[in-house]
Amino acid sequence: MPIKSNRLTAEQYEQNFSDIHPPFDSRESALVEANRCLFCYDAPCIKSCPTEINIPKFIKQISTDNVKGAAHTIFVANIMGAGCSRVCPVEKLCEGSCVYNLLEEPPIPIARLQRYATEQAMEKKWQLFSRKPATGKKVAIVGAGPAGLSCAHVLSREGVEVTIYEKEKKGGGLMTYGIAAYKVTPRFCEDEVNYIISLGGITIKYGQELGNNITLAELKAQYDAVFLGFGVGLARQLQIPGEELEGVVDAIRFIYNIRAGVYEEVPVGDKVAVIGMGMTAIDAATQAKRLGAKEVTLVYRRTQAEMPCTEAELDLAKLDGCRIIWLAAPAMIKGEAGKVTQLVCNLMQLGDPDASGRRMPVDTGEKFILEVDMVIKAAGQIPFEEMVAANQLQQMQGRIIAEKNGATNIPGVFAGGDCVNGGKEVVDAVQAGKLAAHAIFDYLHS
Ligand code: SF4
């Protein structure tokens, strides 16, 4: 049962990793959907968008063929509106709260309409914003992910010079390196970053890592303010025997390798177990299948009612042929000649709720064995605790403590996105970057 690369033909890779979201096939079909919108007063869809995009307004603009205006309405609230239209869990955000759900009719396809407008803006390179006269102020941003780019764009519009320090070779953060390639293709991510920085006033320095190539003290000395948006990135370990065996990998690293390299070169097993049931677990499982794994099994210690991923993501995994075993917790990974051969799981049952109200899994004492040649761990991520502590930032288990506007305990240093919230959606990071930009601007002029 070997782990190997090059399992499929070039055509199969191309097909398996092409864009999963079908855009509208014509202007007319977009207009039909736009014209269904009731343009609700006090629209619930706006309230459930973390970036508060004025959804009825942009849909109205589409319905009157003002696509440029629609794109502006979206981007002014969320500069990554194009990417978010592909990766947001809309069934639990805007589309989930559309009033059509109450009428038991399909909700307005807000994400597809958003994509319709924003993609045209990107393709036609519409420059929808201009920069105010230079203020003479300079801000450093650590991390060219959604939080950093969002913060940079707002500040640049206000006439601030922004320099982003990014440890990777490309910008986009989680969008570029941490999400399944069939949701947002690497090409799309590159185009989105280029579109954002085409505003001007934003320089990205790649290969620059905080604590390695640069220090917070240096940035504070060289700039008028600093925004930290470096995310979370360390995979949580399972702390079970056998984790060191060949064939046991982190989901984050697995997805990163798919995103950063060539599909053909990413090795995958025949029989793969994926531990976890969040979005990263689903992305790892579906991509393992699309790389050519014969069997992929998701193992989760609770039930479907408690899973962190959405129903739509679960459906995606099922459609890709992934199997799901509920109420199972990994206990041990066994191997031969240093390579993984079995995953031993405890059968669980649900016990009392924890502080958050979710029922806790309890070991029944029964076990079962899965024959596998690859185990992908998607048990969450842990923050950069040491680096945060070394910079005297107030923190809670590595998560930077920041106010709603991003202010930290260090004057002039702001933070937002996953390094503060511990790992939420892309759209949450965009909003955090935007709020912090406004607070930084106020700080620079106070
Ligand atoms: Fe339109 Fe639905 Fe939002 Fe109402 S809730 S404004 S129908 S998208």
Side-chain angles (χ1 to χ4, degrees):
M1 292 193 291
I3 294 183
K4 59 177 190 179
S5 49
N6 271 306
R7 284 179 175 271
L8 306 174
T9 64
E11 292 73 34
Q12 286 171 315
Y13 282 117
E14 178 72 28
Q15 191 183 354
N16 289 355
F17 286 93
S18 61
D19 192 345
I20 196 178
H21 302 283
F24 286 116
D25 53 11
S26 66
R27 168 183 160 272
E28 286 69 30
S29 44
L31 291 189
V32 166
E33 289 295 342
N35 280 315
R36 283 179 60 227
C37 180
L38 303 171
F39 310 114
C40 308
Y41 175 75
D42 212 15
C45 52
I46 301 179
K47 288 189 187 144
S48 45
C49 171
T51 54
E52 295 167 356
I53 293 174
N54 191 333
I55 292 164
K57 181 177 174 187
F58 92 69
I59 293 179
K60 183 86 188 167
Q61 288 166 314
I62 289 175
S63 75
T64 54
D65 249 350
N66 179 8
V67 182
K68 222 177 215 181
H72 182 271
T73 301
I74 296 161
F75 286 139
V76 80
N78 179 346
I79 195 59
M80 294 193 92
C84 285
S85 73
R86 295 156 181 248
V87 305
C88 260
V90 287
E91 55 284 344
K92 64 178 187 187
L93 297 174
C94 56
E95 291 183 17
S97 66
C98 175
V99 293
Y100 271 108
N101 293 296
L102 300 173
L103 307 172
E104 296 192 0
E105 284 187 41
I108 301 295
I110 299 169
R112 280 174 85 198
L113 288 166
Q114 184 165 313
R115 176 173 174 173
Y116 175 78
T118 53
E119 267 189 6
Q120 290 191 52
M122 278 173 56
E123 277 165 24
K124 294 172 186 167
K125 298 190 170 33
W126 289 335
Q127 198 47 260
L128 301 169
F129 299 92
S130 55
R131 300 186 67 208
K132 288 185 183 163
T135 60
K137 300 289 183 185
K138 295 186 304 175
V139 171
I141 292 180
V142 180
L149 288 169
S150 167
C151 184
H153 199 265
V154 175
L155 285 172
S156 177
R157 270 149 50 191
E158 294 295 335
V160 175
E161 282 297 313
V162 179
T163 305
I164 307 182
Y165 293 83
E166 167 57 50
K167 67 177 180 177
E168 300 291 349
K169 292 193 189 115
K170 293 178 186 171
L174 179 72
M175 191 79 98
T176 298
Y177 289 106
I179 291 178
Y182 55 80
K183 291 182 183 165
V184 272
T185 61
R187 176 65 199 267
F188 168 83
C189 292
E190 212 165 320
D191 288 349
E192 186 172 44
V193 173
N194 288 336
Y195 182 67
I196 292 169
I197 63 173
S198 69
L199 170 70
I202 304 170
T203 305
I204 306 182
K205 294 189 172 180
Y206 292 105
Q208 299 293 308
E209 186 174 13
L210 188 65
N212 194 2
N213 316 85
I214 41 162
T215 67
L216 185 53
E218 285 166 358
L219 296 180
K220 276 177 59 197
Q222 292 168 25
Y223 294 88
D224 298 301
V226 180
F227 175 75
L228 303 173
F230 49 71
V232 282
L234 305 174
R236 195 181 299 282
Q237 300 305 304
L238 298 173
Q239 314 283 9
I240 58 172
E243 250 180 305
E244 73 294 342
L245 287 165
E246 192 182 322
V248 182
V249 298
D250 297 329
I252 302 288
R253 177 53 51 181
F254 180 65
I255 295 171
Y256 178 97
N257 289 343
I258 295 170
R259 299 299 313 240
V262 182
Y263 304 135
E264 284 87 334
E265 291 172 6
V266 181
V268 71
D270 267 334
K271 296 185 172 187
V272 180
V274 179
I275 315 293
M277 207 62 201
M279 188 194 79
T280 302
I282 301 284
D283 282 0
T286 50
Q287 288 190 114
K289 205 78 174 53
R290 285 162 192 248
L291 284 173
K294 294 196 177 99
E295 286 176 22
V296 175
T297 307
L298 282 144
V299 175
Y300 182 54
R301 60 199 185 126
R302 290 182 165 100
T303 71
Q304 186 171 343
E306 295 83 23
M307 67 179 183
C309 72
T310 63
E311 294 289 336
E313 303 240 290
L314 177 64
D315 289 346
L316 195 60
K318 286 180 179 169
L319 276 174
D320 273 5
C322 302
R323 184 165 70 119
I324 295 125
I325 302 181
W326 307 106
L327 290 168
M332 179 191 294
I333 303 167
K334 289 187 173 177
E336 283 170 24
K339 295 181 180 173
V340 57
T341 55
Q342 290 183 329
L343 175 67
V344 182
C345 294
N346 292 330
L347 258 182
M348 314 298 278
Q349 61 187 16
L350 288 183
D352 294 332
D354 63 11
S356 70
R358 281 202 319 170
R359 291 180 67 190
M360 293 291 290
V362 182
D363 189 355
T364 62
E366 285 182 55
K367 292 196 182 336
F368 67 92
I369 292 174
L370 282 175
E371 303 290 335
V372 292
D373 54 10
M374 186 177 198
V375 174
I376 302 177
K377 302 178 287 183
Q381 287 168 269
I382 45 176
F384 298 106
E385 195 163 350
E386 269 178 39
M387 193 250 283
V388 171
N391 284 299
Q392 279 81 49
L393 287 155
Q394 243 178 28
Q395 53 146 324
M396 195 170 55
Q397 294 170 331
R399 282 160 52 177
I400 299 171
I401 296 176
E403 291 173 28
K404 192 161 182 251
N405 68 4
T408 70
N409 59 306
I410 303 176
V413 177
F414 297 75
D418 286 359
C419 64
V420 171
N421 67 34
K424 284 190 172 180
E425 305 294 342
V426 168
V427 67
D428 295 298
V430 173
Q431 178 69 355
K434 186 174 82 183
L435 292 179
H438 293 301
I440 290 169
F441 191 75
D442 290 346
Y443 168 82
L444 295 177
H445 297 91
S446 59

